């Protein structure tokens, strides 16, 4: 079996998404996910995500690397720590993180997700 490089161009068709109703805190964010890669074990994923403004609760079972392509977001940890990211910035959300995710300006990011064995 030959292993091939996976390009993000062209992107696959977008899949519509939205935060679960019980986690939504503000707004009506419309989201799109373009998952480019999933490993055979369904533990690693990479792609592009975008969202219109809104705010919702998050609880991460996975580790996620993000690189902002557009927009501005604010992530507030349950501890009260506030982190803001905008176009060109990168960050990691570790598994176990809990707080809120807010899209302040329509945002697009690249993501790479590693789902821990405990989170599956």
């Amino acid at each position: 079996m030959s292993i091939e490089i996976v390009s993000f161009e062209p992107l696959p068709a977008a899949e519509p998404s939205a935060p679960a109703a019980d986690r939504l805190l503000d707004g009506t964010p419309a989201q799109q996910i373009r998952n480019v890669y999933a490993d055979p074990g369904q533990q690693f994923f990479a792609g592009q995500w975008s969202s219109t403004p809104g705010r919702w609760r998050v609880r991460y079972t996975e580790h996620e690397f993000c690189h902002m392509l557009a927009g501005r977001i604010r992530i507030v940890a349950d501890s009260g720590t506030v982190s803001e990211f905008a176009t060109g910035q990168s960050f990691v959300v570790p598994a176990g993180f809990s707080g809120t995710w807010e899209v302040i300006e329509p945002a697009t990011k690249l993501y790479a997700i590693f789902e821990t064995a405990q989170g599956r």
Side-chain angles (χ1 to χ4, degrees):
M1 177 168 103
S2 176
I3 303 295
E4 302 292 331
I5 299 297
V6 177
S7 175
F8 276 54
E9 296 176 12
L11 286 169
E15 298 177 28
S17 182
D22 63 336
R23 294 183 177 221
L24 187 60
L25 300 172
D26 189 36
T28 53
Q31 301 173 349
Q32 293 187 334
I33 299 170
R34 290 176 166 88
N35 203 56
V36 175
Y37 177 80
D39 78 305
Q42 298 293 294
Q43 235 182 330
F44 180 76
F45 305 89
Q48 182 178 296
W49 172 92
S50 61
S51 180
T52 59
R55 185 170 59 98
W56 57 93
R57 295 237 4 107
V58 293
R59 286 183 212 100
Y60 275 70
T61 59
E62 69 277 11
H63 302 280
E64 181 179 16
F65 168 81
C66 302
H67 177 75
M68 297 293 296
L69 297 175
R72 190 163 60 103
I73 65 160
R74 176 181 300 126
I75 302 171
V76 180
D78 285 344
S79 67
T81 302
V82 178
S83 300
E84 289 195 15
F85 301 97
T87 304
Q89 293 184 298
S90 301
F91 59 96
V92 170
V93 181
F97 176 85
S98 183
T100 62
W101 182 290
E102 180 179 6
V103 174
I104 300 165
E105 298 171 2
T108 300
K109 69 176 181 177
L110 295 178
Y111 63 84
I113 294 172
F114 178 74
E115 184 71 54
T116 65
Q118 295 87 4
R120 297 175 55 187

